[in-house]
Amino acid sequence: MSKQQNTSPFSMIADYDGDIQKLFEGGIEGELPILATRNLIMFPGVVSPILIGRPSSLRLIDMLNQHPDTLFTVFCQRNPSVENPRFDDLFEYGVYARIIRVLEMPGNTDSVSVIVQGLGRCKLTSITRTRSYLKGHVVPAPEVFPQGKEEFKAALEDLRTISKQFIHQSEDIPDEAVFALDNIQNETILLNFVCSSMPFALQEKFGLLADNVIENRIISVLKILHREVQLLELKEGIRTKTREDLDEQQREYFLQQQIRNIKEELGNGEGSPERKELLSKAEGKKWSEEVKNTFFKELEKLDMLNPQGPEYSVQMNYLQTMVDLPWGEYTNDDLNLTRAQRILDKDHYGMEKVKERILEHIAVLSLRGDLKSPIICLYGPPGVGKTSLGKSIAEAMKRKYVRISLGGMHDESEIRGHRRTYVGAMPGRIIKAIQKAGSSNPVFILDEIDKVTQNTINGDPSSALLEVLDPEQNTAFHDNYLDVDFDLSKVLFIATANDLNTIPRPLLDRMEIIEVSGYITEEKIEIAKRHLIPKEKQNTGLSSERKLQFTKPAIEKVIEQYTRESGVRQLEKQINKAFRKLAFNKAKDGQLPYEKITPDAIEGLLGKPPFYRDIYQGNDYAGVVTGLAWTSVGGEILFIETSLSKGKGAKLTLTGNLGDVMKESAVLALEYVKAHASSLNIDYRIFDNYNIHIHVPEGATPKDGPSAGITIATSIASALTQLKVRKNTAMTGEITLRGKVLPVGGIKEKILAAKRAGITDIILCKENQKDIDEIPEVYRKGVTFHFVENVQEVWDFAITTEKVKNAIPFDVEEPNKENK
């Protein structure tokens, strides 16, 4: 085959001036070879170049090259990826065709280029042969040519004009196509040329070929062209708009900006992977309509932002926060009361009131099924387990556990979040903790709520907590960062505090106050045996020494003489210190010096004791009475000492670092004794001749409170009568000017302190009897309680008729008769 000069198919179409009817009527019915094309639909009368590379198609071209007069057909594949098409893989309409030229590709023997001219339409009815090349049975499909010449010509001129406009605006069609449009004389070929050459969708081109009415075909192609021209104009407008928006910082963002504008005009598009991730997470969220609308509104804003700009990351962080929050997601509560009781008892010894309240909540929840969580405030001295109790409650109810420390918080935004107008804005710590928990009903510990700074230049954090801790308001907690409401009503808030006096009254009113008092020695011994000793053995590597234990007296010695606290933190440190010493000995000598830690061994491990407790000192001295005091580290006994000195009288001296309330109690007691001197057989002239000095030992320790009232009164009475006070007796109670005894607090701690000091009889106000009934019997054993209503009853029991040794012989002077 000789190599012919390559001639443009557009010019060949323009040169054609033959009889169009004969060209279109050249088809026959029967079996003909089939050339299957990818992405190319030929139209009658149109010349098209086709690149042949499929082996079967190459064999067909070789045969046609040898027999140039052989008629064949061209059908387009529905799916271009099919390598060996069958009947269902081909469109049903095609064209008869003939080869005009075969062009060999220089340096490429695997493919050739052929120029093919379409003839009349045909329809494929079946595939008759697949070996070597395709053959099939076809029938002619003649076209209906236009009848109304004027209307068709007008449409054709419109087609020519709009096609030229499309070619000029499109970058995908060569300018030669305009030359062809101007020079094609035949109306039908011009129409078919436009249908074949324009970059329409494959399905649309087949629709044009399948329509056998030429007038319908020209109307359809005009619609498609007008649409494509409008789309090109829209693209050009987008390019122009994008170009106007560009500056130096956005040049690298050109492509993304163009995509943004396309999305803006078309209203669709998949967006970035981050956007897909946000939408994926948002699908399962149980949002209210308001929150949902806010999310999608903010998501639309994200599409308008430059990913390289700072606003993009701010917007993305906000949307990530929204989808990461557990909206309406709750963990299932374990409502088994027995299990909850077991877990609470295992982790914490004592604390019965707190445990009882939690169990009550679980019980009501099990009966009702849905309940707003209580807002509890645990207050008490440091180290008693308020914070760790929250973990046990969470474990008992199988809820998530989160904790935030409010100590030193001085900015309201830490509770309510920052508005997003600020640089570095973030949600408040409440929302961040909920996000961390992953559920909307965790056990939430608000630690050290009494240490929140109030009324600063950054707002009042304690006032912001009012909304969080109000059951009527926290169903719609508003965080400034989120700017939508979040439901906190199912969160079990547990606040902890050491001092209620620093908590604002409105905030205090919203919480259920439960006192967690300090541990008494007996409770500390149990806590050490059950929790602290096993824990510290593990921490110091002595867990394998199973026989190594503290004896009970040794634990008590550590508590009494090496610690001074309400909780057990210092006790834990002392136990750890003892085990560290033993671990050192074992590492050094290979064995422990002893297996049981006794009181005698404690000093060798911990050194000399820094503390000691007062013990009862007997009743050998007049005016020395044992009182009971409550301190933050437990109960203590204290001694009230009254001495008399000869002088002008009417002088009362108070020493011992006493507070105002205690000083007033001493004045009150003295006045009561003066008023009832006759009942004690006291010579009234003593008050004119002797000064009274009241002292409370341990002057470096501040002392205050009204509970020493009856003790001071008894001390003064004993000193003025020189009578002994009943042995092993202690007392506590406030007095009035009328001598009535009033109840006081801290009874449990005071009684245990008295018992440790060897006291056998305790005098209390009658109204304190209810407090005694709440103390377990094991702690009351060995102590007799005497309940009184007035000071006279106190004296009747406490002051004996026995004089002390070396009693003061009162030397009183007769009053001046002139003064009488």
Side-chain angles (χ1 to χ4, degrees), residues 496-723:
T496 69
N498 299 127
D499 185 6
L500 297 182
N501 295 325
T502 59
I503 302 176
R505 297 305 303 176
L507 184 58
L508 201 61
D509 183 61
R510 282 163 168 78
M511 299 185 290
E512 184 177 341
I513 308 299
I514 299 178
E515 181 182 5
V516 183
S517 59
Y519 295 116
I520 57 177
T521 299
E522 288 75 4
E523 290 173 335
K524 289 181 181 179
I525 291 173
E526 289 298 322
I527 292 170
K529 288 166 62 177
R530 298 184 187 188
H531 303 287
L532 303 183
I533 292 175
K535 176 184 174 182
E536 295 307 324
K537 280 181 69 176
Q538 180 76 26
N539 291 343
T540 52
L542 296 174
S543 55
S544 60
E545 303 290 340
R546 297 188 177 182
K547 293 183 179 180
L548 179 62
Q549 290 294 338
F550 276 79
T551 63
K552 185 176 179 179
I555 300 173
E556 185 173 356
K557 182 172 182 177
V558 175
I559 295 169
E560 298 286 350
Q561 299 183 23
Y562 289 86
T563 65
R564 183 69 86 236
E565 59 177 345
S566 297
V568 291
R569 284 201 183 111
Q570 296 302 321
L571 175 60
E572 182 178 10
K573 292 177 182 178
Q574 294 298 331
I575 292 173
N576 178 270
K577 181 178 180 181
F579 280 133
R580 288 201 314 269
K581 291 279 188 180
L582 292 173
F584 173 77
N585 291 332
K586 182 179 179 181
K588 180 181 178 182
D589 303 330
Q591 62 180 3
L592 294 173
Y594 35 73
E595 293 182 343
K596 283 194 178 294
I597 302 175
T598 61
D600 295 336
I602 290 296
E603 288 194 18
L605 296 172
L606 302 181
K608 295 295 181 180
F611 307 109
Y612 70 94
R613 288 191 180 273
D614 290 326
I615 59 172
Y616 180 67
Q617 297 178 357
N619 63 343
D620 295 331
Y621 298 94
V624 179
V625 182
T626 305
L628 300 175
W630 179 92
T631 69
S632 61
V633 296
E636 296 279 356
I637 65 169
L638 56 79
F639 301 102
I640 306 295
E641 301 175 350
T642 301
S643 66
L644 304 176
S645 60
K646 197 166 179 61
K648 295 181 179 179
K651 182 181 178 183
L652 175 64
T653 303
L654 302 172
T655 56
N657 201 352
L658 308 184
D660 291 339
V661 176
M662 200 166 183
K663 288 178 180 178
E664 291 173 359
S665 294
V667 174
L668 198 63
L670 177 57
E671 292 302 319
Y672 183 82
V673 172
K674 286 181 178 181
H676 297 79
S678 58
S679 65
L680 292 169
N681 296 320
I682 298 175
D683 190 335
Y684 68 90
R685 293 173 297 179
I686 293 177
F687 299 110
D688 296 328
N689 293 275
Y690 286 86
N691 296 325
I692 300 175
H693 185 163
I694 299 175
H695 176 69
V696 183
E698 296 187 34
T701 304
K703 310 168 192 71
D704 203 359
S707 63
I710 62 172
T711 314
I712 296 173
T714 305
S715 175
I716 295 172
S718 172
L720 293 174
T721 59
Q722 293 294 293
L723 297 176

Side-chain angles (χ1 to χ4, degrees), residues 211-343:
D211 195 337
N212 66 326
V213 180
I214 298 298
E215 290 179 341
N216 293 343
R217 187 181 298 170
I218 196 170
I219 297 300
S220 298
V221 75
L222 280 171
K223 289 181 180 178
I224 297 173
L225 274 172
H226 278 290
R227 184 198 69 199
E228 293 297 322
V229 168
Q230 289 176 358
L231 182 59
L232 285 174
E233 290 174 349
L234 187 61
K235 288 182 178 178
E236 183 61 29
I238 292 172
R239 288 193 187 99
T240 303
K241 184 178 179 181
T242 305
R243 196 174 299 114
E244 291 173 353
D245 290 344
L246 288 179
D247 57 25
E248 288 299 325
Q249 296 178 348
Q250 294 176 309
R251 290 190 183 279
E252 295 181 1
Y253 179 56
F254 176 83
L255 184 59
Q256 289 82 354
Q257 184 78 0
Q258 193 174 34
I259 293 172
R260 176 184 70 80
N261 287 322
I262 291 172
K263 286 183 183 179
E264 183 179 349
E265 296 294 339
L266 299 181
N268 56 19
E270 294 183 357
S272 63
E274 294 89 350
R275 191 178 192 276
K276 291 180 182 178
E277 181 185 358
L278 289 172
L279 288 172
S280 175
K281 290 182 178 180
E283 286 179 1
K285 291 297 176 182
K286 301 174 183 177
W287 280 332
S288 65
E289 198 63 31
E290 177 193 359
V291 177
K292 186 176 180 181
N293 292 339
T294 301
F295 173 79
F296 284 104
K297 178 182 175 183
E298 297 295 333
L299 190 61
E300 289 177 5
K301 291 181 182 178
L302 182 71
D303 295 335
M304 305 299 176
L305 297 175
N306 181 353
Q308 297 175 355
E311 297 88 356
Y312 185 88
S313 61
V314 171
Q315 190 72 3
M316 177 61 72
N317 289 339
Y318 173 74
L319 293 171
Q320 285 285 6
T321 301
M322 287 198 73
V323 296
D324 288 344
L325 279 171
W327 302 86
E329 299 173 20
Y330 305 102
T331 55
N332 294 323
D333 290 335
D334 190 327
L335 304 179
N336 188 324
L337 287 172
T338 304
R339 176 182 174 276
Q341 178 82 59
R342 184 175 67 253
I343 291 174

